[in-house]
Amino acid sequence: MLHQKDFKYNGTPLKDAKKALIMVHGRGGFAEDILAVADHLKIEDFALVAPQAYNNSWYPLSFMAPVQQNQPWLDSAVEMLQLLEKELNDEGIASEDIYFFGFSQGACLTLEYVTRNAKRYGGVIGIIGGLIGKDINTGNYLTNFEGTPVYLGTSDPDAHVPAERVQQTADILRNKNAQVELQIFPDAGHVILPEELGRANNFIFGYSGMKNEKP
């Protein structure tokens, strides 16, 4: 059984929203939990949407395993995000007004999806994640981000996501015309930091408060 359409909603109703934030949970997580992170983001009038992974995982192995070892789950997860983006478009929310937030496995999936489908998005936030595969297949990334702002935050070291892969991801996204800000925090742990949310509020959502303000 592959991922089924199971979207959780919060924030402004889709019919009234002009912008949307897609939030993608990590391995073992729940859509409702990642939606709660939005309480710390400086967003107003956004529709919030979080897909739920089957059995709480988007794919079975490490994101740095050979891609074929994570199939067919990985392709199913990518298709799920494609379906969600299309549904938002059909509701009148243009891709340039769609934002993404992913954590851990969800950040890996988010970054893989948006880079395979690069265009002008509202913005992308990836906390402890990188592009997927033992070796990154840049042949999958044929379009460009047209200046989309992307914030990447991570810990060094991290038990699951090497900082080197996050740096490599940042370089690839920059080459695809994304405006990338990367922050690497020493020994921060596998968590979402207040400093990361503060910087994302500045860089992605244009909040003019303190750069690293705690939410």
Side-chain angles (χ1 to χ4, degrees):
M1 180 180 183
L2 301 186
H3 301 294
Q4 302 296 311
K5 177 182 173 181
D6 185 7
F7 301 155
K8 309 299 183 186
Y9 298 88
N10 208 337
T12 300
L14 279 179
K15 63 182 178 61
D16 301 322
K18 292 182 171 57
K19 296 183 179 183
L21 175 62
I22 295 173
M23 307 190 74
V24 188
H25 68 76
R27 189 189 301 273
F30 291 88
E32 292 85 354
D33 294 336
I34 198 73
L35 282 172
V37 176
D39 291 344
H40 303 289
L41 298 173
K42 302 297 184 180
I43 51 178
E44 293 182 3
D45 303 324
F46 274 64
L48 308 176
V49 192
Q52 176 64 51
Y54 175 72
N55 207 26
N56 308 95
S57 181
W58 294 110
Y59 44 83
L61 303 179
S62 165
F63 84 110
M64 294 188 69
V67 166
Q68 283 306 118
Q69 294 182 13
N70 274 316
Q71 299 293 18
W73 293 97
L74 175 58
D75 280 354
S76 177
V78 168
E79 289 166 7
M80 179 70 64
L81 288 183
Q82 192 167 39
L83 173 64
L84 179 47
E85 181 181 352
K86 183 180 184 302
E87 288 202 358
L88 293 174
N89 292 159
D90 290 345
E91 289 285 343
I93 301 175
S95 293
E96 65 186 18
D97 293 318
I98 295 175
Y99 296 70
F100 292 82
F101 183 105
F103 171 64
S104 190
Q105 191 188 54
C108 297
L109 175 60
T110 294
L111 292 166
E112 185 69 23
Y113 173 75
V114 297
T115 310
R116 290 190 190 188
N117 298 276
K119 58 176 75 78
R120 176 66 200 212
Y121 290 112
V124 180
I125 302 165
I127 306 299
I128 312 183
L131 292 171
I132 293 174
K134 180 180 179 182
D135 301 301
I136 296 176
N137 180 7
T138 56
N140 286 331
Y141 315 134
L142 301 178
T143 54
N144 85 81
F145 281 101
E146 303 176 22
T148 297
V150 179
Y151 174 78
L152 302 176
T154 197
S155 173
D156 185 20
D158 181 82
H160 306 287
V161 180
E164 293 81 5
R165 176 55 65 96
V166 183
Q167 181 66 66
Q168 187 181 11
T169 297
D171 293 341
I172 290 171
L173 269 59
R174 289 188 181 109
N175 287 337
K176 294 296 179 183
N177 201 25
Q179 300 181 59
V180 180
E181 175 148 340
L182 168 63
Q183 288 188 303
I184 300 175
F185 297 88
D187 300 308
H190 197 77
V191 296
I192 300 171
L193 299 174
E195 293 84 356
E196 291 169 325
L197 296 176
R199 188 60 195 132
N201 279 326
N202 298 144
F203 186 61
I204 303 298
F205 299 115
Y207 178 63
S208 59
M210 293 294 291
K211 282 192 173 183
N212 291 320
E213 180 184 28
K214 294 188 176 182

PDB file of all heavy atoms in Angstrom, residues 184-203:
ATOM      1  N   ILE A 184      24.444  26.588   9.720  1.00  0.00           N
ATOM      2  CA  ILE A 184      24.865  25.330  10.336  1.00  0.00           C
ATOM      3  C   ILE A 184      25.197  25.618  11.790  1.00  0.00           C
ATOM      4  O   ILE A 184      26.068  26.435  12.093  1.00  0.00           O
ATOM      5  CB  ILE A 184      26.079  24.735   9.609  1.00  0.00           C
ATOM      6  CG1 ILE A 184      25.727  24.450   8.142  1.00  0.00           C
ATOM      7  CG2 ILE A 184      26.530  23.451  10.294  1.00  0.00           C
ATOM      8  CD1 ILE A 184      26.894  23.966   7.302  1.00  0.00           C
ATOM      9  N   PHE A 185      24.480  24.953  12.694  1.00  0.00           N
ATOM     10  CA  PHE A 185      24.640  25.170  14.128  1.00  0.00           C
ATOM     11  C   PHE A 185      25.434  24.014  14.724  1.00  0.00           C
ATOM     12  O   PHE A 185      25.069  22.844  14.536  1.00  0.00           O
ATOM     13  CB  PHE A 185      23.268  25.277  14.811  1.00  0.00           C
ATOM     14  CG  PHE A 185      22.446  26.446  14.355  1.00  0.00           C
ATOM     15  CD1 PHE A 185      21.608  26.341  13.248  1.00  0.00           C
ATOM     16  CD2 PHE A 185      22.524  27.658  15.009  1.00  0.00           C
ATOM     17  CE1 PHE A 185      20.848  27.415  12.810  1.00  0.00           C
ATOM     18  CE2 PHE A 185      21.764  28.747  14.590  1.00  0.00           C
ATOM     19  CZ  PHE A 185      20.927  28.623  13.484  1.00  0.00           C
ATOM     20  N   PRO A 186      26.514  24.284  15.450  1.00  0.00           N
ATOM     21  CA  PRO A 186      27.318  23.200  16.017  1.00  0.00           C
ATOM     22  C   PRO A 186      26.590  22.486  17.150  1.00  0.00           C
ATOM     23  O   PRO A 186      26.036  23.133  18.047  1.00  0.00           O
ATOM     24  CB  PRO A 186      28.579  23.914  16.520  1.00  0.00           C
ATOM     25  CG  PRO A 186      28.174  25.343  16.708  1.00  0.00           C
ATOM     26  CD  PRO A 186      27.114  25.610  15.704  1.00  0.00           C
ATOM     27  N   ASP A 187      26.548  21.149  17.058  1.00  0.00           N
ATOM     28  CA  ASP A 187      26.039  20.293  18.144  1.00  0.00           C
ATOM     29  C   ASP A 187      24.657  20.714  18.624  1.00  0.00           C
ATOM     30  O   ASP A 187      24.373  20.699  19.820  1.00  0.00           O
ATOM     31  CB  ASP A 187      27.022  20.307  19.326  1.00  0.00           C
ATOM     32  CG  ASP A 187      28.388  19.787  18.938  1.00  0.00           C
ATOM     33  OD1 ASP A 187      28.469  18.689  18.367  1.00  0.00           O
ATOM     34  OD2 ASP A 187      29.386  20.486  19.201  1.00  0.00           O
ATOM     35  N   ALA A 188      23.779  21.058  17.689  1.00  0.00           N
ATOM     36  CA  ALA A 188      22.466  21.585  18.065  1.00  0.00           C
ATOM     37  C   ALA A 188      21.434  20.487  18.297  1.00  0.00           C
ATOM     38  O   ALA A 188      20.389  20.737  18.894  1.00  0.00           O
ATOM     39  CB  ALA A 188      21.969  22.540  16.992  1.00  0.00           C
ATOM     40  N   GLY A 189      21.713  19.271  17.817  1.00  0.00           N
ATOM     41  CA  GLY A 189      20.749  18.193  17.975  1.00  0.00           C
ATOM     42  C   GLY A 189      19.758  18.142  16.830  1.00  0.00           C
ATOM     43  O   GLY A 189      19.662  19.062  16.013  1.00  0.00           O
ATOM     44  N   HIS A 190      19.011  17.040  16.796  1.00  0.00           N
ATOM     45  CA  HIS A 190      18.067  16.800  15.695  1.00  0.00           C
ATOM     46  C   HIS A 190      16.714  17.408  16.053  1.00  0.00           C
ATOM     47  O   HIS A 190      15.733  16.711  16.332  1.00  0.00           O
ATOM     48  CB  HIS A 190      17.948  15.292  15.446  1.00  0.00           C
ATOM     49  CG  HIS A 190      17.346  14.949  14.121  1.00  0.00           C
ATOM     50  ND1 HIS A 190      18.049  15.022  12.940  1.00  0.00           N
ATOM     51  CD2 HIS A 190      16.094  14.552  13.794  1.00  0.00           C
ATOM     52  CE1 HIS A 190      17.258  14.668  11.934  1.00  0.00           C
ATOM     53  NE2 HIS A 190      16.066  14.377  12.433  1.00  0.00           N
ATOM     54  N   VAL A 191      16.680  18.733  16.051  1.00  0.00           N
ATOM     55  CA  VAL A 191      15.489  19.476  16.468  1.00  0.00           C
ATOM     56  C   VAL A 191      15.337  20.721  15.593  1.00  0.00           C
ATOM     57  O   VAL A 191      16.264  21.109  14.878  1.00  0.00           O
ATOM     58  CB  VAL A 191      15.572  19.900  17.952  1.00  0.00           C
ATOM     59  CG1 VAL A 191      15.601  18.690  18.867  1.00  0.00           C
ATOM     60  CG2 VAL A 191      16.795  20.786  18.197  1.00  0.00           C
ATOM     61  N   ILE A 192      14.166  21.341  15.694  1.00  0.00           N
ATOM     62  CA  ILE A 192      13.939  22.641  15.062  1.00  0.00           C
ATOM     63  C   ILE A 192      14.293  23.706  16.092  1.00  0.00           C
ATOM     64  O   ILE A 192      13.705  23.757  17.173  1.00  0.00           O
ATOM     65  CB  ILE A 192      12.476  22.787  14.617  1.00  0.00           C
ATOM     66  CG1 ILE A 192      12.109  21.693  13.602  1.00  0.00           C
ATOM     67  CG2 ILE A 192      12.228  24.170  14.022  1.00  0.00           C
ATOM     68  CD1 ILE A 192      10.620  21.643  13.278  1.00  0.00           C
ATOM     69  N   LEU A 193      15.248  24.551  15.769  1.00  0.00           N
ATOM     70  CA  LEU A 193      15.733  25.558  16.714  1.00  0.00           C
ATOM     71  C   LEU A 193      14.929  26.854  16.608  1.00  0.00           C
ATOM     72  O   LEU A 193      14.527  27.251  15.505  1.00  0.00           O
ATOM     73  CB  LEU A 193      17.193  25.878  16.433  1.00  0.00           C
ATOM     74  CG  LEU A 193      18.196  24.739  16.559  1.00  0.00           C
ATOM     75  CD1 LEU A 193      19.574  25.217  16.106  1.00  0.00           C
ATOM     76  CD2 LEU A 193      18.254  24.238  17.996  1.00  0.00           C
ATOM     77  N   PRO A 194      14.719  27.557  17.721  1.00  0.00           N
ATOM     78  CA  PRO A 194      14.096  28.880  17.652  1.00  0.00           C
ATOM     79  C   PRO A 194      14.857  29.828  16.722  1.00  0.00           C
ATOM     80  O   PRO A 194      14.248  30.638  16.019  1.00  0.00           O
ATOM     81  CB  PRO A 194      14.136  29.367  19.102  1.00  0.00           C
ATOM     82  CG  PRO A 194      14.193  28.122  19.931  1.00  0.00           C
ATOM     83  CD  PRO A 194      14.973  27.134  19.124  1.00  0.00           C
ATOM     84  N   GLU A 195      16.190  29.705  16.715  1.00  0.00           N
ATOM     85  CA  GLU A 195      16.989  30.572  15.841  1.00  0.00           C
ATOM     86  C   GLU A 195      16.687  30.313  14.368  1.00  0.00           C
ATOM     87  O   GLU A 195      16.704  31.233  13.541  1.00  0.00           O
ATOM     88  CB  GLU A 195      18.481  30.365  16.115  1.00  0.00           C
ATOM     89  CG  GLU A 195      18.942  30.839  17.478  1.00  0.00           C
ATOM     90  CD  GLU A 195      18.721  29.806  18.582  1.00  0.00           C
ATOM     91  OE1 GLU A 195      18.127  28.729  18.318  1.00  0.00           O
ATOM     92  OE2 GLU A 195      19.139  30.076  19.723  1.00  0.00           O
ATOM     93  N   GLU A 196      16.413  29.053  14.033  1.00  0.00           N
ATOM     94  CA  GLU A 196      16.073  28.725  12.649  1.00  0.00           C
ATOM     95  C   GLU A 196      14.719  29.310  12.266  1.00  0.00           C
ATOM     96  O   GLU A 196      14.555  29.870  11.174  1.00  0.00           O
ATOM     97  CB  GLU A 196      16.076  27.208  12.466  1.00  0.00           C
ATOM     98  CG  GLU A 196      17.466  26.612  12.554  1.00  0.00           C
ATOM     99  CD  GLU A 196      17.466  25.094  12.633  1.00  0.00           C
ATOM    100  OE1 GLU A 196      16.545  24.518  13.252  1.00  0.00           O
ATOM    101  OE2 GLU A 196      18.399  24.478  12.088  1.00  0.00           O
ATOM    102  N   LEU A 197      13.761  29.205  13.159  1.00  0.00           N
ATOM    103  CA  LEU A 197      12.443  29.771  12.880  1.00  0.00           C
ATOM    104  C   LEU A 197      12.522  31.290  12.783  1.00  0.00           C
ATOM    105  O   LEU A 197      11.866  31.913  11.938  1.00  0.00           O
ATOM    106  CB  LEU A 197      11.455  29.356  13.963  1.00  0.00           C
ATOM    107  CG  LEU A 197      11.170  27.849  14.045  1.00  0.00           C
ATOM    108  CD1 LEU A 197      10.258  27.548  15.227  1.00  0.00           C
ATOM    109  CD2 LEU A 197      10.547  27.330  12.757  1.00  0.00           C
ATOM    110  N   GLY A 198      13.343  31.896  13.642  1.00  0.00           N
ATOM    111  CA  GLY A 198      13.513  33.343  13.587  1.00  0.00           C
ATOM    112  C   GLY A 198      14.099  33.800  12.272  1.00  0.00           C
ATOM    113  O   GLY A 198      13.631  34.773  11.662  1.00  0.00           O
ATOM    114  N   ARG A 199      15.130  33.097  11.812  1.00  0.00           N
ATOM    115  CA  ARG A 199      15.754  33.494  10.547  1.00  0.00           C
ATOM    116  C   ARG A 199      14.819  33.208   9.378  1.00  0.00           C
ATOM    117  O   ARG A 199      14.760  33.991   8.420  1.00  0.00           O
ATOM    118  CB  ARG A 199      17.085  32.761  10.347  1.00  0.00           C
ATOM    119  CG  ARG A 199      17.868  33.266   9.160  1.00  0.00           C
ATOM    120  CD  ARG A 199      18.209  34.743   9.312  1.00  0.00           C
ATOM    121  NE  ARG A 199      18.647  35.343   8.056  1.00  0.00           N
ATOM    122  CZ  ARG A 199      18.193  36.476   7.569  1.00  0.00           C
ATOM    123  NH1 ARG A 199      17.272  37.170   8.232  1.00  0.00           N
ATOM    124  NH2 ARG A 199      18.657  36.963   6.444  1.00  0.00           N
ATOM    125  N   ALA A 200      14.087  32.101   9.439  1.00  0.00           N
ATOM    126  CA  ALA A 200      13.127  31.812   8.383  1.00  0.00           C
ATOM    127  C   ALA A 200      12.046  32.893   8.318  1.00  0.00           C
ATOM    128  O   ALA A 200      11.621  33.297   7.227  1.00  0.00           O
ATOM    129  CB  ALA A 200      12.498  30.444   8.600  1.00  0.00           C
ATOM    130  N   ASN A 201      11.621  33.383   9.470  1.00  0.00           N
ATOM    131  CA  ASN A 201      10.630  34.460   9.483  1.00  0.00           C
ATOM    132  C   ASN A 201      11.160  35.694   8.755  1.00  0.00           C
ATOM    133  O   ASN A 201      10.429  36.362   8.017  1.00  0.00           O
ATOM    134  CB  ASN A 201      10.255  34.819  10.919  1.00  0.00           C
ATOM    135  CG  ASN A 201       9.238  33.868  11.505  1.00  0.00           C
ATOM    136  OD1 ASN A 201       8.369  33.366  10.805  1.00  0.00           O
ATOM    137  ND2 ASN A 201       9.329  33.619  12.804  1.00  0.00           N
ATOM    138  N   ASN A 202      12.440  36.007   8.960  1.00  0.00           N
ATOM    139  CA  ASN A 202      13.046  37.155   8.289  1.00  0.00           C
ATOM    140  C   ASN A 202      13.189  36.905   6.797  1.00  0.00           C
ATOM    141  O   ASN A 202      12.730  37.691   5.960  1.00  0.00           O
ATOM    142  CB  ASN A 202      14.439  37.443   8.865  1.00  0.00           C
ATOM    143  CG  ASN A 202      14.428  37.816  10.335  1.00  0.00           C
ATOM    144  OD1 ASN A 202      15.338  37.453  11.059  1.00  0.00           O
ATOM    145  ND2 ASN A 202      13.414  38.512  10.784  1.00  0.00           N
ATOM    146  N   PHE A 203      13.841  35.802   6.462  1.00  0.00           N
ATOM    147  CA  PHE A 203      14.292  35.574   5.090  1.00  0.00           C
ATOM    148  C   PHE A 203      13.175  35.118   4.165  1.00  0.00           C
ATOM    149  O   PHE A 203      13.126  35.502   2.994  1.00  0.00           O
ATOM    150  CB  PHE A 203      15.424  34.542   5.105  1.00  0.00           C
ATOM    151  CG  PHE A 203      16.088  34.322   3.775  1.00  0.00           C
ATOM    152  CD1 PHE A 203      16.729  35.366   3.132  1.00  0.00           C
ATOM    153  CD2 PHE A 203      16.071  33.083   3.175  1.00  0.00           C
ATOM    154  CE1 PHE A 203      17.343  35.180   1.907  1.00  0.00           C
ATOM    155  CE2 PHE A 203      16.686  32.877   1.935  1.00  0.00           C
ATOM    156  CZ  PHE A 203      17.325  33.934   1.308  1.00  0.00           C
TER     157      PHE A 203
END
